[in-house]
Amino acid sequence: MKVEEVLSCSFPSWYDKFKKCTIKSIVVPLTPEVLAYMQDNGTLVLPEGSQPEPTYKKNKEEEDEEGDDWDHCETSGCVVQGPKLEEYNSKIKDAIKKLGGSVFPKLNWSAPKDASWIALNNSLRCCTPGDVYLLLKSSNFVTHDLTAPFKDCDDVNVADTNIDYCLVLRGWMEINPAHEFRCFVRNKELVGICQRDISQSYCCIGSDQANIRSDIISFWQENIENRFPLPNYVIDVYRPAKDCVILLDFNPFGETTDGLLFSWPELKGLDDARQCLSRIIEDEPDLNSIMEDPAANVFYFNERNFTDSNRQSYSPERNALTHSSLLESLPEFRFISDATGVQPSPYMQYGLPMDIVDLSTGQDPQKFIDFLQM
């Protein structure tokens, strides 16, 4: 993976070209003051004026009772003040208003999906600048964008790259995770499709898998295939209904992007193609028995693949169809057909104290020794 590939997947790099097939968004460049605030790893204090003043007014009795309680509290006199970002707050408010009153925030590459636990509604839906700051400041994914976006690049040491960081506000859309998919493109060929949320099994995917795959392939061919500059990349799409696919994001083709139901060695073509079948999280017929029966061969091909003008089509007379041509004809579609294939949510750990995470994963053996000695 190269630095150029990561930069090409930055939101400002591709949005203008694909705005007609994605969610309406507004890009607000980060000022030096806002960038410094984002990079500050100190106390989480929201900027002044980023949250609306409470409209509830207490009566005199409530104020007296609260005052009595505070009289018994000892304070150090040290009050942490948030930064003053009035002008930037106004830009965020204007963008939120233009996008319908609520937005989904992210930076150039990552969204703060790991920080939804800190929001009062346990959601990434933001209605005020304070909501946006709270999610971005609490996210490890956003911190990665700000500190090490090229960590997995081969040419990171020789690259002298100046990143223009931006806050991306996307119009809020209720997304059903059952209809969200990740697609992998290698050498300008769509080689893999899988469900985006691997913490659940969705029966609707299995019953509609042929239409899902067909719609995604058609969308990619018509909107992305010959327009995105890279030969290798990953896209996230949303398919809420038949013949309706929405582009969500571009991601670099490499380990920095979660392969979900695929492994990166097989996506890069390093594994034997026949081994890919062992990782399909659904019931499949035996490939050897299919190859022995030409009639079954036709059924299997039509069920798993769709032909188009760029690929060789299958005819019943072609009985010598090989394993490789069968597997390479069109992208592999993987999904979880039942609860036995469900995997833990990758975001769950971010809502736990670091000590508990270290103990459960064994990342810090000394903490485990201290725990035993207690």
Side-chain angles (χ1 to χ4, degrees), residues 67-207:
D68 294 340
D69 293 337
W70 279 105
D71 290 340
H72 297 287
C73 298
E74 295 183 1
T75 58
S76 61
C78 179
V79 179
V80 180
Q81 294 287 341
K84 295 182 179 181
L85 305 172
E86 292 92 345
E87 183 178 351
Y88 203 78
N89 290 344
S90 298
K91 291 181 180 180
I92 296 178
K93 291 177 182 178
D94 292 342
I96 293 175
K97 184 177 180 180
K98 291 178 181 178
L99 294 172
S102 57
V103 298
F104 171 86
K106 62 175 293 183
L107 289 194
N108 297 50
W109 295 278
S110 301
K113 291 185 176 181
D114 58 321
S116 61
W117 60 271
I118 202 170
L120 293 178
N121 56 359
N122 198 29
S123 168
L124 299 182
R125 185 173 189 170
C126 297
C127 300
T128 67
D131 296 340
V132 175
Y133 292 129
L134 180 64
L135 288 174
L136 296 180
K137 284 283 290 181
S138 306
S139 171
N140 287 354
F141 294 174
V142 170
T143 300
H144 176 271
D145 276 11
L146 295 173
T147 58
F150 309 121
K151 184 184 69 172
D152 297 318
C153 294
D154 302 330
D155 56 345
V156 63
N157 294 326
V158 298
D160 184 14
T161 306
N162 183 26
I163 304 175
D164 295 324
Y165 282 106
C166 298
L167 169 63
V168 179
L169 299 175
R170 316 204 69 183
W172 180 258
M173 172 187 289
E174 293 290 348
I175 290 183
N176 184 344
H179 303 314
E180 193 175 0
F181 301 92
R182 174 157 287 182
C183 311
F184 302 87
V185 178
R186 185 187 68 207
N187 297 328
K188 296 187 176 181
E189 289 289 329
L190 185 59
V191 297
I193 303 170
C194 71
Q195 69 183 72
R196 184 70 179 82
D197 178 19
I198 59 175
S199 65
Q200 300 287 336
S201 62
Y202 301 100
C203 59
C204 59
I205 297 179
S207 60

Side-chain angles (χ1 to χ4, degrees), residues 29-61:
L30 294 185
T31 63
E33 295 78 14
V34 177
L35 182 59
Y37 169 66
M38 291 291 186
Q39 294 174 329
D40 181 18
N41 197 28
T43 305
L44 175 56
V45 181
L46 298 180
E48 294 183 8
S50 61
Q51 289 285 52
E53 293 294 330
T55 57
Y56 172 73
K57 294 184 179 181
K58 301 176 182 178
N59 57 40
K60 190 175 185 306
E61 293 182 358

Side-chain angles (χ1 to χ4, degrees), residues 4 8 13-14 17-18 188 224-233 250:
E4 180 186 1
S8 295
S13 299
W14 62 262
K17 183 181 289 187
F18 298 97
K188 296 187 176 181
I224 299 175
E225 181 178 14
N226 297 317
R227 300 178 63 197
F228 195 69
L230 299 179
N232 305 314
Y233 54 92
F250 282 92

